[in-house]
Amino acid sequence: MFHPWAARAVGVILTALLLGSLLWRQHAPFTYSAAHRIDTQDLPGLHREFWRHFYDDLTASRPKCTKISHNQTLCVVGLVDDPPPRPMKVVLEDEQHRALKTAHRDFIKRLSNRTYELAYVLGSRGIVITAGGSYLIHALVTVRMLRRTGTNLPVEVFLRDPTEGDVRICDDIFPLLNAKCVPLSQTLGDDIDSIGKYGYKMVAMLVSTFEEFLYLDADCFPLYDPDMLFTTPPFTTHGLVLWPDFWYPTESPLFFDIANIPMPAMDRSQVASEAGTIIYSKRTHTESLLIAAYYNFYGPDFYYKLHSQGALGEGDKETFRWSAVASNSPWYQVKSRVKHLGFTTKDGERRDSMMAQYNPIIDLKAGAEEARPFFAHAHNPKLDPDWMFNEKTGTIFDSDGSMRRIWHENATQAMEYFGNGFDAEAWMWEEMRDMACEYEKLFHRTACVIGTRYLEEVFQA
């Protein structure tokens, strides 16, 4: 989906005059001292200062009404069917409607008058992941997969607070992989208690070091070097790239009135978003990111229900697209449809284990028919050598106990799907086995044994 770049000549002129340093600040005058714009060691302090002012605007624009009460489930309509009428499940009292509209308008006005900006290293690129607790293992898998593609982009793995870290991973392993753990509590302080789980992801985006970043859920990784995505359209022309979900949009008409943005028709060009993979430019999308933060801060009580109305995956998934629209910022959503990969057991049970997301460069240039998978979102189950290489829990076992592939039936199917003779699943399992055997203190010793046997029997590797 394409939207023209908003012309901001005045902003460009101001930026050229105000900056010439490592930190880029878009839109409003940069209010911090020049020293802060030179020394990247001061970024944590700048992030805390930003958050203090931004949090004031977030809370000042709180909708003055009761939260939306909506407990119904919305049955989504898959893309193989004709588009349905726009769903209208959420019901608002007049007072709620007015309060939400007033608060949204107030927040947009506050953004236009703000004297704070995002702080980041000018010209920098990197990977942003949110994890913590048991998800830290999944993040480690993702970082290892990133390095296997050949990229050396720095990785920031955001945790709620230090208690969600693991010294073995954060202090010993990540530094060797050009990755680091970043506790959000060092920026948010006590405010972290007012942030929901999806809010961690949003704040991580705001306070990451990078001007341009690829956000990945902890269970999502690229199959190819992602560096190319930053230097080629659609990212260079749009500054925000999103990927689709499996169904048509679910937003309530009420949302579009509240946000004062046009409501698109429900046709085949309209597809819901999936937010496990996102590429952002903070330079071009500062205001968009701040509005997305507003939708997520008030998401559990208001905006998640307005966007999803009880549909599958209700959460932050639609906040990034509509914040771009609300800020008149360009964005591109990949047209190639997400695809489930999995297998049918010998007992006839279907087991889907991965969502394949497609190359946006080819998607834009040659069309959805020519695009190849670029990201693997391994959502069921999450990738953990201790879990996967386990005879009781591992999904590498068929219903009769035999070991097998989990993405395709055989190597021929796999290489036809991924193209160029690339067996992406074998590639993934090799890395999982290597992790299980290399990090002896992190995984149970049987994970290495079973992983090695699995690669030998199924992939002859």
Side-chain angles (χ1 to χ4, degrees):
M1 216 167 262
F2 302 85
H3 295 263
W5 287 95
R8 297 198 181 199
V10 175
V12 171
I13 294 171
L14 286 173
T15 300
L17 294 172
L18 290 168
L19 304 174
S21 67
L22 290 175
L23 296 180
W24 179 288
R25 322 265 296 160
Q26 182 203 355
H27 187 72
F30 188 90
T31 57
Y32 302 116
S33 68
H36 281 153
R37 289 182 282 138
I38 296 172
D39 188 356
T40 57
Q41 296 289 328
D42 287 331
L43 272 176
L46 291 177
H47 289 153
R48 285 191 290 271
E49 183 72 4
F50 154 77
W51 178 254
R52 184 172 64 85
H53 292 292
F54 182 55
Y55 186 75
D56 286 346
D57 278 350
L58 280 175
T59 53
S61 298
R62 179 184 299 277
K64 295 178 173 59
C65 62
T66 57
K67 66 181 182 180
I68 295 175
S69 177
H70 178 75
N71 299 316
Q72 298 181 45
T73 298
L74 175 64
C75 294
V76 297
V77 178
L79 302 177
V80 296
D81 298 314
D82 291 332
R86 182 167 292 282
M88 300 179 63
K89 297 292 185 181
V90 167
V91 177
L92 295 181
E93 300 291 340
D94 289 344
E95 180 185 357
Q96 289 175 305
H97 194 157
R98 285 193 299 269
L100 281 162
K101 194 166 185 174
T102 299
H104 192 286
R105 184 170 58 245
D106 178 71
F107 182 72
I108 298 300
K109 182 177 180 180
R110 287 177 181 275
L111 288 188
S112 67
N113 295 326
R114 70 188 186 278
T115 58
Y116 55 84
E117 285 295 339
L118 301 177
Y120 49 87
V121 177
L122 178 64
S124 63
R125 292 175 180 147
I127 310 293
V128 174
I129 299 172
T130 49
S134 63
Y135 284 87
L136 199 56
I137 290 291
H138 311 319
L140 174 58
V141 173
T142 292
V143 173
R144 290 276 301 223
M145 296 299 180
L146 278 161
R147 296 300 171 241
R148 195 176 177 96
T149 69
T151 183
N152 196 41
L153 287 171
V155 181
E156 293 181 337
V157 180
F158 287 86
L159 321 173
R160 184 186 190 277
D161 55 55
T163 65
E164 291 202 341
D166 184 316
V167 172
R168 296 169 297 179
I169 297 176
C170 293
D171 294 359
D172 299 336
I173 298 175
F174 273 167
L176 299 176
L177 298 170
N178 195 20
K180 65 178 180 179
C181 293
V182 183
L184 285 170
S185 57
Q186 73 179 13
T187 297
L188 273 61
D190 293 339
D191 295 341
I192 198 165
D193 293 329
S194 63
I195 304 293
K197 65 176 182 177
Y198 291 113
Y200 300 154
K201 170 177 171 178
M202 192 66 246
V203 177
M205 292 180 176
L206 295 176
V207 302
S208 64
T209 300
F210 316 118
E211 176 183 323
E212 298 175 349
F213 64 87
L214 166 62
Y215 171 82
L216 295 171
D217 276 356
D219 57 359
C220 186
F221 56 87
L223 303 173
Y224 303 92
D225 187 338
D227 292 41
M228 68 180 82
L229 301 180
F230 291 98
T231 60
T232 312
F235 180 71
T236 56
T237 52
H238 291 74
L240 168 60
V241 180
L242 300 167
W243 275 261
D245 214 325
F246 289 97
W247 49 79
Y248 288 106
T250 57
E251 300 87 7
S252 166
L254 295 167
F255 165 71
F256 298 99
D257 183 66
I258 289 166
N260 193 31
I261 56 179
M263 181 173 67
M266 291 287 284
D267 57 38
R268 288 194 175 276
S269 70
Q270 301 297 313
V271 181
S273 298
E274 201 280 326
T277 310
I278 305 174
I279 314 179
Y280 255 120
S281 167
K282 289 183 182 177
R283 177 176 59 85
T284 61
H285 282 68
T286 293
E287 191 168 308
S288 173
L289 277 162
L290 297 178
I291 296 173
Y294 180 77
Y295 291 159
N296 279 279
F297 190 74
Y298 293 110
D301 289 345
F302 301 106
Y303 286 98
Y304 296 163
K305 294 179 174 61
L306 287 168
H307 286 165
S308 294
Q309 303 191 81
L312 288 169
E314 182 171 288
D316 64 350
K317 61 197 299 294
E318 306 298 342
T319 62
F320 306 102
R321 170 170 47 170
W322 295 119
S323 62
V325 176
S327 61
N328 197 28
S329 303
W331 57 282
Y332 180 85
Q333 181 158 294
V334 172
K335 298 181 291 297
S336 303
R337 294 181 180 179
V338 60
K339 180 178 176 62
H340 259 139
L341 299 186
F343 68 95
T344 301
T345 70
K346 293 175 181 176
D347 284 347
E349 176 191 357
R350 180 65 187 177
R351 294 180 182 174
D352 289 323
S353 59
M354 190 268 266
M355 297 189 303
Q357 298 171 315
Y358 287 75
N359 187 324
I361 299 171
I362 300 175
D363 182 85
L364 172 63
K365 184 182 298 184
E369 297 77 13
E370 301 297 324
R372 292 286 185 180
F374 199 96
F375 292 97
H377 196 158
H379 62 98
N380 182 35
K382 312 294 186 184
L383 296 182
D384 179 340
D386 269 346
W387 180 270
M388 300 300 287
F389 298 140
N390 185 308
E391 293 179 343
K392 294 182 178 180
T393 60
T395 54
I396 60 174
F397 297 96
D398 208 325
S399 53
D400 64 354
S402 62
M403 291 181 171
R404 59 153 303 137
R405 291 171 173 269
I406 67 170
W407 291 358
H408 289 96
E409 294 296 333
N410 52 57
T412 301
Q413 284 186 7
M415 288 187 283
E416 285 180 354
Y417 177 70
F418 290 106
N420 300 317
F422 178 38
D423 190 343
E425 185 177 355
W427 177 84
M428 176 193 72
W429 289 121
E430 288 171 4
E431 194 64 33
M432 293 278 285
R433 174 203 57 197
D434 292 348
M435 288 177 57
C437 297
E438 181 179 340
Y439 303 139
E440 295 179 347
K441 295 181 179 179
L442 199 59
F443 302 110
H444 196 279
R445 62 183 179 83
T446 58
C448 175
V449 174
I450 295 176
T452 300
R453 180 160 59 91
Y454 176 60
L455 266 293
E456 291 173 349
E457 290 186 14
V458 179
F459 298 94
Q460 292 75 51

